[in-house]
Each structure stands twice: as C-alpha cells, then as structure tokens.
Amino acid sequence: DGGITQSPKYLFRKEGQNVTLSCEQNLNHDAMYWYRQDPGQGLRLIYYSQIVNDFQKGDIAEGYSVSREKKESFPLTVTSAQKNPTAFYLCASTGSNYGYTFGSGTRLTVV
Amino acid sequence: GDSVTQMEGPVTLSEEAFLTINCTYTATGYPSLFWYVQYPGEGLQLLLKATKADDKGSNKGFEATYRKETTSFHLEKGSVQVSDSAVYFCALSERSSNYKLTFGKGTLLTVNP
C-alpha cells in the first residue's frame, strides 16, 4: 500500500545534540512538507519541498534543516540551535491533485 | 496572509448529541477548504473537503458547506459517537501560497457514553 513512513516514532535528544527525523513516501508525490505540532497551537510549517534538490523555509524554519536528494525522501534535522525542540513532528506529501497524505508522526523529547 | 480560526475547545458531548465546530478563514483568493481529524498519537486523516463556494463536503456522517459570503466552513454531525473523540482541524490551501496547508489550532472533541 502507498503511504508515508516516519521514523522513529519516539526520539529523545540530549541538550546540544543534532537529531534527524526520517520521512519516506512511495506515493510518487512531488511535494513534501514538515509540520511541527504543539498543544493548543495547531500545526506550523517548518520546511517544504516541491521538487527534488529544492526546498523552501516555512513559518518556523530556524533551528531546522532539510534535504531532498531523492523524490521519496525528505529528512528533517533538528539542530542544537533549536531551543525548544520538544514537539510532535508530522511529515506530509501531496501530488497533482493537492490532496495531502500525512505520516503517523515522530514525538521528539529533550532529555 | 492566509489564516484559519476555529472554535476553541475542548468540546464535550454525550453520545448521540449534535456537533458543530465553527471555522472561519481569511484568504487572498479562492481557497480549497478541508477538515482533518487526528486520533490520539496518530497523524492527520482527511475527513472532508470542498473546493468551491456552496460545495458540501461529507464523510462518515460529518458535513461542512463552503460559505464564501461568510468565509466559513463549519463542521457538523447529527449524532456523535464515542469513536468520534479526536482533535479536529480546519485548514485551507490556495494556489497563491503554492497549495501549502494553513491550519486552525484544532478543537478537541470528547464524546461520553
């Protein structure tokens, strides 16, 4: 079945450490997105990519980085510059009909 | 810029009660409108959508009508079930924003037996 796979489901980060969240899709979608979810704040866009080897900052890109070397993959790195990284991270993709498919999320906690 | 405002929760109802979750939007053009549902610990699932004025989206007993004159897309269900307990997000996307989704803050619904 086609879909989006996010891993790991739970991730713990120490202070000053970079961590990378994986997002893989087999839907042949061109566009991929990373959202951050905090309680009571809805979803906020971190980065998005509409084509391989190209990506744009969203509303809250500071402290994050991404790459898009393959159509299927859009990993997100949470760097030590992100001061408050504890959150639920959701990856999504969309195809030509602009219907979004979401992954099941990664919960990141700073320890 | 685009924005979505939805009623704050939490909303607590008894089983078989009528549900309304209000959603209004601000957009520069003619957006598509969506309702997504999130069950605990999971990602988002598309519940319903409408792409033009006066369209009615419907799914699993939920309905919402795209009202351009009031810039609204209120979610309704005639008789809720315990299994409807979740967080509901209203969202929009439009061409001028490269079809990025803009979300409301979400409304937590709890249905008691």
Side-chain angles (χ1 to χ4, degrees):
Chain A
D1 287 339
I4 295 184
T5 301
Q6 288 189 243
S7 61
K9 190 172 179 65
Y10 298 97
L11 186 58
F12 298 91
R13 192 195 94 167
K14 294 181 180 179
E15 295 282 351
Q17 191 178 46
N18 292 357
V19 292
T20 298
L21 284 61
S22 171
C23 178
E24 304 276 334
Q25 53 101 357
N26 61 3
L27 299 164
N28 200 34
H29 284 171
D30 287 316
M32 297 186 74
Y33 307 80
W34 274 105
Y35 286 89
R36 170 177 170 143
Q37 184 177 15
D38 296 281
Q41 294 200 46
L43 279 75
R44 295 180 289 170
L45 182 64
I46 305 172
Y47 268 98
Y48 65 102
S49 167
Q50 294 182 299
I51 195 168
V52 175
N53 292 323
D54 188 41
F55 48 83
Q56 287 80 40
K57 294 182 179 180
D59 300 319
I60 56 164
E62 185 176 351
Y64 300 96
S65 66
V66 293
S67 63
R68 186 85 187 278
E69 297 176 1
K70 299 187 300 182
K71 188 175 186 178
E72 301 80 17
S73 179
F74 191 42
L76 173 74
T77 296
V78 184
T79 74
S80 57
Q82 171 48 243
K83 297 307 178 188
N84 185 22
T86 295
F88 190 53
Y89 291 86
L90 284 163
C91 180
S93 70
T94 183
S96 58
N97 67 352
Y98 304 107
Y100 277 66
T101 300
F102 282 83
S104 57
T106 293
R107 186 165 298 281
L108 173 63
T109 304
V110 174
V111 296
Chain B
D2 297 342
S3 67
V4 176
T5 302
Q6 61 182 103
M7 65 185 286
E8 294 188 17
V11 174
T12 303
L13 297 173
S14 298
E15 205 164 24
E16 299 184 1
F18 184 84
L19 169 71
T20 299
I21 301 178
N22 290 338
C23 172
T24 57
Y25 67 89
T26 302
T28 55
Y30 300 96
S32 295
L33 302 174
F34 307 85
W35 277 101
Y36 283 85
V37 59
Q38 183 180 36
Y39 299 101
E42 298 184 9
L44 273 66
Q45 301 174 25
L46 178 65
L47 182 59
L48 53 84
K49 68 177 182 181
T51 58
K52 61 182 187 296
D54 300 324
D55 267 3
K56 177 184 283 188
S58 62
N59 186 26
K60 300 181 181 180
F62 291 90
E63 293 183 339
T65 301
Y66 190 143
R67 300 287 188 200
K68 189 172 185 298
E69 63 276 14
T70 55
T71 62
S72 65
F73 193 55
H74 305 321
L75 182 68
E76 296 182 338
K77 186 175 186 182
S79 176
V80 293
Q81 306 301 311
V82 172
S83 58
D84 293 328
S85 298
V87 180
Y88 292 82
F89 292 93
C90 185
L92 69 81
S93 73
E94 59 177 339
R95 175 183 285 193
S96 62
S97 301
N98 290 322
Y99 297 104
K100 291 178 293 178
L101 273 178
T102 298
F103 288 91
K105 293 186 176 182
T107 302
L108 173 63
L109 170 66
T110 302
V111 180
N112 295 318

